[in-house]
């Protein structure tokens, strides 16, 4: 059974702080990892993806992957109130398998 | 998610009626996924299609739900004899396998069954 687990939150951080969002997954055969942001009543939008162990940075966002620990995280530096949303972790196991999503972590950035 | 077109955006159906949701993928994309999101729940995979072929329908309920992606025209998710529990957001996502595993979502169709 392929599962993706996230803490539902809410995670509250003050404006300007670093927000750290975590995700674990159940199967070592996973190949690619994605973070999506979803505002209330809207569709998910892709933030970034990561395939290899280590860190990947894109602007204020950094994705961190540790395949041995089956763990992927998203760091948001200099958090802004506009970052307040639900963050969805998704994992792909290759081939024609679909992306499996976690339930999401709700982030609240307090001004 | 620009370019993935879903309609209708909002649909209200009475119990027992049929709902048809449509999705046109991004230009050049050959595959679509359908996901369902119940209130306060995560995205659940339903079906993965390419034109004229269902690749994976392991997430589709056994009854009342069907999906197609014809050679011409949009992909359609069809729900027959809707019940209140079908009320959810239905998202289509566009995919081009040759470019990797990234999928891009449409704006979604919100179905309300009354």
């Amino acid at each position: 059974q392929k599962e993706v687990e996230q803490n539902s939150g809410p995670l509250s951080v003050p404006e300007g702080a670093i927000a750290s969002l975590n995700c674990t997954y159940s199967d070592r055969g996973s190949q690619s990892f994605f973070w999506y942001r979803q505002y209330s009543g809207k569709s998910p939008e892709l933030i970034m993806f990561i395939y290899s162990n280590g860190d990947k940075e894109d602007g204020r966002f950094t994705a961190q992957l540790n395949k041995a620990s089956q763990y992927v995280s998203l760091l948001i530096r200099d958090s802004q109130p506009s970052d307040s949303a639900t963050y969805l972790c998704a994992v792909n196991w290759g081939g024609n398998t679909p992306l499996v999503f976690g339930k999401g972590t709700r982030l609240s950035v307090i001004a | 998610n620009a370019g993935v077109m879903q309609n209708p955006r909002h649909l209200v159906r009475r119990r027992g009626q049929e709902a048809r949701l449509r999705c046109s993928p991004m230009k050049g994309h050959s595959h679509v996924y359908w996901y369902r999101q119940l209130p306060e729940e995560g995205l659940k995979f339903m079906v993965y299609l390419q034109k004229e072929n269902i690749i994976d329908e392991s997430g589709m309920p056994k009854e009342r739900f069907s999906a197609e992606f014809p050679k011409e025209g949009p992909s359609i998710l069809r729900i027959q004899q809707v019940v209140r529990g079908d009320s959810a957001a239905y998202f289509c996502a566009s995919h081009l396998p040759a470019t990797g595993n990234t999928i891009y979502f449409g704006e979604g169709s919100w179905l309300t069954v009354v």
Side-chain angles (χ1 to χ4, degrees):
Chain A
Q1 182 77 358
K2 294 177 172 58
E3 295 182 341
V4 178
E5 299 287 339
Q6 293 182 259
N7 188 320
S8 61
L11 172 66
S12 294
V13 300
E15 184 176 358
I18 296 175
S20 177
L21 303 157
N22 304 316
C23 173
T24 58
Y25 54 94
S26 62
D27 193 309
R28 288 184 181 274
S30 52
Q31 295 193 357
S32 47
F33 308 84
F34 301 81
W35 283 100
Y36 286 81
R37 176 176 62 197
Q38 186 176 27
Y39 292 109
S40 181
K42 301 294 185 182
S43 63
E45 53 182 330
L46 179 69
I47 297 175
M48 62 191 306
F49 57 85
I50 186 167
Y51 297 149
S52 304
N53 276 328
D55 295 0
K56 180 181 179 182
E57 187 174 317
D58 184 0
R60 294 187 297 114
F61 300 97
T62 299
Q64 299 176 318
L65 175 61
N66 184 327
K67 288 190 176 182
S69 301
Q70 295 175 222
Y71 176 95
V72 58
S73 64
L74 180 71
L75 302 178
I76 307 175
R77 288 182 299 283
D78 189 23
S79 296
Q80 302 297 310
S82 58
D83 294 327
S84 298
T86 296
Y87 289 79
L88 303 170
C89 173
V91 179
N92 177 266
W93 275 268
N96 286 327
T97 60
L99 278 187
V100 177
F101 283 82
K103 290 190 175 182
T105 298
R106 192 152 48 94
L107 172 68
S108 178
V109 180
I110 311 298
Chain B
N1 57 8
V4 182
M5 305 301 293
Q6 287 189 250
N7 67 82
R9 294 291 312 282
H10 298 276
L11 182 64
V12 179
R13 284 287 178 266
R14 295 186 187 279
R15 281 177 294 172
Q17 291 185 319
E18 178 179 289
R20 283 190 181 224
L21 310 177
R22 290 175 290 277
C23 170
S24 296
M26 292 174 68
K27 186 177 180 181
H29 281 200
S30 54
H31 293 60
V32 297
Y33 290 91
W34 285 95
Y35 283 82
R36 176 167 63 176
Q37 189 172 39
L38 294 167
E40 304 302 320
E41 292 287 326
L43 286 161
K44 297 295 185 186
F45 165 73
M46 299 182 76
V47 63
Y48 179 36
L49 310 110
Q50 68 178 128
K51 285 192 182 288
E52 300 184 285
N53 185 33
I54 297 175
I55 298 172
D56 183 347
E57 58 181 345
S58 59
M60 288 282 270
K62 293 287 187 281
E63 298 177 346
R64 303 187 298 107
F65 285 73
S66 62
E68 63 175 0
F69 192 8
K71 186 177 180 181
E72 301 291 337
S75 174
I76 296 174
L77 179 67
R78 181 184 180 202
I79 311 171
Q80 295 177 287
Q81 298 175 314
V82 295
V83 301
R84 287 232 171 98
D86 296 332
S87 296
Y90 292 83
F91 291 102
C92 170
S94 175
H95 181 222
L96 182 60
T99 61
N101 297 319
T102 304
I103 65 175
Y104 299 92
F105 285 90
E107 293 293 318
S109 292
W110 270 259
L111 172 65
T112 302
V113 180
V114 296

